[in-house]
């Protein structure tokens, strides 16, 4: 690319009021994201934990890489990490590699990075850049309607039979007897942080994040509804879970985002997962999903007949220091996985219209 006979200069900038509109225009042009004022304000201005580095040339945005700043618990105490997402570059500028410049810009920083590779191409690039694969995130799905099965390629006969006989069989139910009490909450209680600090199962895991939880709960209606639950045993706080119910296309999804119990309460994972799943199913969801690396959560999901649906590698970049050894907890609340997928621009405009509310 040239301007007046000279090569056009690509500049890496942080998102701010001067380039924000150009960044939003780039994102909207390259992806079918919501384009309502409510969504754009929430997504690009209001998040207390979000930052973004963008490639600009002559006032035009040609590549983006967003990230959420999250606190992680490590063997050496708490440390801030960046969870990158929305890594996109203009095809017209492929030869100048603006996307690669952005990821290298992040890698030169002092803050470690952790990300789930959404595509094989992204995973391959991170391997070539010498990121460390720290975990494999397992994704599960529990069909609850024939409409969901039809959307996954099953014929009308299978979908119809499922609605008659299968839904009752697969729908999760709360345990008849449980030593675990599920308590709705606004955000994770302060006591959760102590449970995370005391756990010894994971060498690396994200700490509860009340600020980001509040931001998610302020999401526009097109992104659905977010819920937080405290888990108590004999009145004592022993863990928490977060979840989301959201429309996507013609289907209603229920998703378990975070599930955690203290080391001394691991036997209650089946009860916690069953109770949260039953709550989500109560909204009339067509499918329940969950993504995690936690062995206890995975066993509980399998016991409820959740089916393996996908798996994706999680990578970390530690700069000059070595990545920690030991299990890493990654779940459905990492980066934009907590608010993706989402409605198309047209669908979100309809859902957020005042008459619909």
């Amino acid at each position: 690319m040239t301007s007046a006979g000279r090569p056009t200069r690509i500049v890496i900038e942080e998102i701010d009021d001067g380039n924000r509109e150009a960044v939003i225009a780039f994102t909207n042009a390259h992806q079918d994201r919501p384009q309502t004022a409510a969504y754009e304000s929430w997504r690009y201005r209001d998040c207390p934990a979000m930052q973004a580095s963008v490639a600009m040339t002559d006032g035009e945005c040609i590549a983006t890489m967003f990230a959420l700043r999250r606190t992680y618990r490590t063997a050496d105490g708490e440390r801030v990490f960046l969870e990158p997402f929305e890594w996109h570059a203009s095809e017209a500028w492929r030869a100048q590699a603006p996307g690669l410049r952005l990821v290298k810009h992040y890698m030169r920083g002092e803050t470690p990075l952790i990300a789930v590779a959404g595509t094989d191409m992204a995973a391959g690039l991170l391997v070539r850049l010498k990121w460390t694969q720290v975990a494999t995130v397992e994704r599960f799905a529990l069909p609850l309607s024939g409409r969901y099965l039809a959307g996954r390629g099953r014929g009308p006969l299978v979908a119809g039979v499922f609605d008659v006989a299968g839904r009752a069989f697969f729908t999760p139910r709360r345990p008849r007897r449980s030593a675990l009490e599920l308590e709705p909450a606004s955000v994770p209680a302060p006591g959760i942080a102590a449970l995370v600090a005391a756990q010894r199962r994971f060498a690396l895991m994200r700490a509860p994040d009340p600020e980001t939880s509040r931001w998610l709960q302020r999401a526009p209606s097109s992104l659905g509804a977010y819920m937080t639950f405290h888990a108590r045993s004999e009145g004592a706080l022993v863990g928490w879970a977060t979840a989301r119910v959201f429309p996507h296309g013609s289907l209603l999804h229920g998703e378990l985002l975070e599930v955690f119990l203290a080391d001394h309460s691991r036997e209650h994972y089946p009860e916690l997962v069953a109770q949260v799943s039953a709550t989500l199913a109560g909204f009339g969801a067509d499918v329940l999903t969950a993504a995690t690396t936690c062995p206890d959560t995975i066993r509980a999901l399998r016991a409820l007949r959740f089916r393996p649906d996908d798996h994706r590698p999680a990578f970390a970049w530690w700069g000059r220091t070595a990545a920690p050894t030991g299990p890493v907890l990654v779940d459905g609340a990492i980066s934009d996985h907590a608010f993706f997928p989402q409605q198309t621009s047209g669908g979100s405009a309809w859902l957020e219209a005042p008459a619909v509310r």
Side-chain angles (χ1 to χ4, degrees), residues 201-225:
R201 287 145 40 216
F202 302 107
L204 182 69
M205 70 169 289
R206 187 179 56 255
D209 186 350
E211 281 196 346
T212 302
S213 293
R214 293 187 184 96
W215 172 70
L216 289 171
Q217 290 172 1
R218 296 194 300 269
S221 56
S222 62
L223 270 75

Side-chain angles (χ1 to χ4, degrees), residues 11-350:
V11 180
I12 304 300
E13 302 176 356
E14 300 305 303
I15 191 171
D16 58 23
D17 291 340
N19 58 31
R20 197 182 316 273
E21 295 305 319
V23 173
I24 295 174
F26 170 82
T27 302
N28 289 345
H30 288 78
Q31 305 166 65
D32 193 0
R33 294 287 193 263
Q35 298 181 24
T36 64
Y39 174 81
E40 291 182 352
S41 178
W42 174 85
R43 168 68 178 80
Y44 298 102
R45 294 180 175 84
D46 299 344
C47 181
M50 190 192 76
Q51 67 183 65
S53 296
V54 297
M56 303 290 296
T57 178
D58 293 336
E60 176 189 3
C61 177
I62 59 172
T64 64
M65 194 171 192
F66 289 81
L68 292 182
R69 295 182 302 276
R70 314 294 289 272
T71 299
Y72 275 71
R73 191 75 193 182
T74 75
D76 299 322
E78 292 187 344
R79 186 170 182 183
V80 173
F81 274 68
L82 291 177
E83 299 176 347
F85 64 100
E86 293 278 2
W87 180 20
H88 298 290
S90 169
E91 285 294 321
W93 288 83
R94 178 188 289 267
Q96 282 72 29
L100 184 61
R101 297 189 194 192
L102 286 177
V103 70
K104 288 185 174 181
H105 171 74
Y106 273 80
M107 291 168 62
R108 285 192 293 269
E110 296 296 323
T111 307
L113 308 165
I114 186 166
V116 176
T119 66
D120 292 342
M121 183 179 297
L125 178 58
L126 295 180
V127 169
R128 291 194 295 275
L129 290 173
K130 301 189 183 305
W131 287 45
T132 301
Q133 182 174 347
V134 294
T136 298
V137 183
E138 304 290 343
R139 184 171 178 82
F140 293 84
L142 179 66
L144 293 180
S145 78
R147 288 193 304 168
Y148 171 76
L149 293 177
R152 298 298 293 265
R154 299 299 182 92
L157 178 60
V158 172
V161 170
F162 185 93
D163 282 333
V164 172
R167 182 162 189 145
F169 178 74
F170 281 94
T171 298
R173 292 173 175 78
R174 292 176 176 81
R176 292 183 179 179
R177 296 181 180 179
S178 176
L180 200 70
E181 177 185 355
L182 199 64
E183 173 186 83
S186 55
V187 295
I192 296 294
L195 299 179
V196 173
Q199 69 83 32
R200 294 296 180 266
R201 287 145 40 216
F202 302 107
L204 182 69
M205 70 169 289
R206 187 179 56 255
D209 186 350
E211 281 196 346
T212 302
S213 293
R214 293 187 184 96
W215 172 70
L216 289 171
Q217 290 172 1
R218 296 194 300 269
S221 56
S222 62
L223 270 75
Y226 289 87
M227 292 161 274
T228 298
F229 303 96
H230 292 152
R232 296 186 180 275
S233 178
E234 297 182 350
L237 184 66
V238 297
W240 94 102
T242 62
R244 174 190 178 202
V245 176
F246 62 99
H248 184 54
S250 62
L251 301 178
L252 186 66
H253 291 237
E255 184 171 21
L256 288 79
L257 296 173
E258 298 170 291
V259 178
F260 177 80
L261 286 170
D263 287 358
H264 58 75
S265 297
R266 291 175 64 184
E267 72 273 15
H268 295 309
Y269 268 93
E271 299 161 69
L272 178 56
V273 172
Q275 291 192 54
V276 176
S277 297
T279 299
L280 295 175
F283 285 88
D286 295 288
V287 61
L288 303 185
T289 60
T292 186
T293 62
C294 173
D296 295 299
T297 303
I298 289 173
R299 281 191 290 269
L301 292 168
R302 289 183 180 276
L304 289 174
R305 305 185 182 90
F306 277 76
R307 302 174 176 184
D309 190 56
D310 193 11
H311 59 272
R312 301 303 312 169
F315 291 91
W317 172 258
W318 289 79
R320 300 181 184 89
T321 60
T325 58
V328 175
L329 178 59
V330 177
D331 55 33
I334 189 170
S335 63
D336 65 338
H337 293 255
F339 51 95
F340 183 85
Q342 54 200 242
Q343 286 287 3
T344 62
S345 57
S348 62
W350 185 85

